[in-house]
């Protein structure tokens, strides 16, 4: 077997065995090759699986590479694997997530000004589901917390990086639930992850603050 074919197969095996996206640099290091060669081989693998039109596809996602199931089978797979974990988000929480995704880093006050209503419960819910995190503090009086999205957000929406998001004319007009993935259920109620330790939330998100 020629070296290029062997290395390509090794990359494929590494990705198949991983449950999380693997960064290009890590794949290149594991295979003992340069990143440029690794990217070329990964591009070939992406095309191979795309042309095959089978049950798996290889995608660049959340800053790395990962095998995903072909979307054409999503409906039947969702029916078969009914117990698969899915996040539950209200429409208001989705709206808040959209604004954070496009405007990050952003403060709670800025979110409230854009939405016209309090976003405290929505941000707390998003943090409990690991879709949003505190990314620092704004250098203004009071030093309010700044919020941004996480790698979990990229994974749920099948994105490699934030620039892969559709570009809305105005964030307020974005109908985020129109491209909500199968991993998220849209409801009318805002829910917290019951296993989340609410004491870790920024003070402004605590109950009674």
């Amino acid at each position: 077997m020629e070296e290029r074919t062997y290395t390509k197969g090794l990359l494929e095996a590494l990705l198949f065995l991983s449950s999380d996206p693997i960064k290009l640099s890590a794949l290149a290091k594991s295979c003992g090759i340069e990143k440029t060669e690794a990217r070329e081989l990964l591009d070939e693998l992406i095309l191979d699986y795309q042309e095959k039109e089978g049950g798996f596809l290889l995608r660049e996602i959340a800053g790395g590479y990962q095998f995903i199931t072909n979307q054409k089978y999503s409906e039947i797979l969702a029916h078969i694997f009914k117990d698969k974990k899915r996040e539950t988000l209200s429409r208001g929480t989705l709206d808040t997530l959209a604004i954070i995704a496009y405007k990050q880093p952003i403060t709670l006050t800025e979110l409230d000004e854009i939405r016209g209503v309090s976003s405290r419960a929505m941000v707390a819910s998003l943090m409990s589901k690991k879709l949003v995190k505190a990314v620092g503090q704004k250098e203004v009086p009071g030093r309010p917390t700044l919020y941004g999205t996480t790698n979990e957000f990229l994974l749920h929406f099948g994105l490699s990086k934030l620039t892969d998001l559709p570009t809305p004319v105005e964030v307020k007009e974005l109908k985020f639930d129109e491209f909500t993935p199968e991993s998220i259920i849209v409801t009318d109620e805002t829910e917290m992850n019951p296993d989340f330790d609410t004491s870790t939330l920024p003070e402004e998100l605590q109950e009674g603050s």
Side-chain angles (χ1 to χ4, degrees), residues 23-175:
K23 293 184 180 297
L24 175 64
S25 57
L27 288 167
K29 183 177 181 180
S30 296
C31 295
I33 58 177
E34 296 294 325
K35 287 196 293 184
T36 51
E37 183 180 356
R39 186 178 291 279
E40 287 179 6
L41 293 173
L42 288 164
D43 285 343
E44 289 182 14
L45 280 170
I46 289 173
L47 187 59
D48 289 346
Y49 278 88
Q50 185 175 313
E51 292 178 342
K52 182 181 178 181
E53 294 188 347
F56 293 99
L57 294 173
L58 179 60
R59 288 283 184 268
E60 188 174 358
I61 183 171
Y65 290 83
Q66 184 178 34
F67 278 113
I68 62 172
T69 51
N70 194 326
Q71 192 172 4
K72 69 168 69 175
Y73 304 112
S74 61
E75 186 174 344
I76 182 63
L77 289 174
H79 177 72
I80 295 172
F81 296 98
K82 292 179 180 179
D83 295 330
K84 182 181 177 182
K85 182 177 181 293
R86 300 174 73 188
E87 294 295 356
T88 302
L89 300 179
S90 69
R91 295 187 184 279
T93 306
L94 271 176
D95 179 51
T96 302
L97 179 58
I99 295 170
I100 293 173
Y102 282 87
K103 293 290 189 180
Q104 63 185 301
I106 186 171
T107 66
L108 183 61
T109 298
E110 290 166 342
L111 271 168
D112 291 347
E113 288 176 353
I114 292 173
R115 297 188 65 238
V117 293
S118 173
S119 304
R120 186 192 62 78
M122 285 69 177
V123 176
S125 174
L126 290 167
M127 289 191 72
S128 79
K129 299 171 189 299
K130 299 182 179 180
L131 296 173
V132 163
K133 63 181 179 180
V135 296
Q137 294 176 302
K138 192 167 185 177
E139 296 299 327
V140 297
R143 293 175 57 81
T145 301
L146 288 165
Y147 299 96
T149 53
T150 64
N151 263 350
E152 286 292 322
F153 166 79
L154 295 176
L155 286 169
H156 273 290
F157 286 88
L159 304 170
S160 173
K161 49 190 179 302
L162 288 172
T163 51
D164 291 338
L165 280 167
T167 305
V169 177
E170 289 184 14
V171 174
K172 287 190 291 185
E173 294 179 359
L174 176 66
K175 297 186 183 302

Side-chain angles (χ1 to χ4, degrees), residues 15-27:
L15 290 163
F16 179 78
L17 291 171
S18 177
S19 59
D20 299 308
I22 306 178
K23 293 184 180 297
L24 175 64
S25 57
L27 288 167

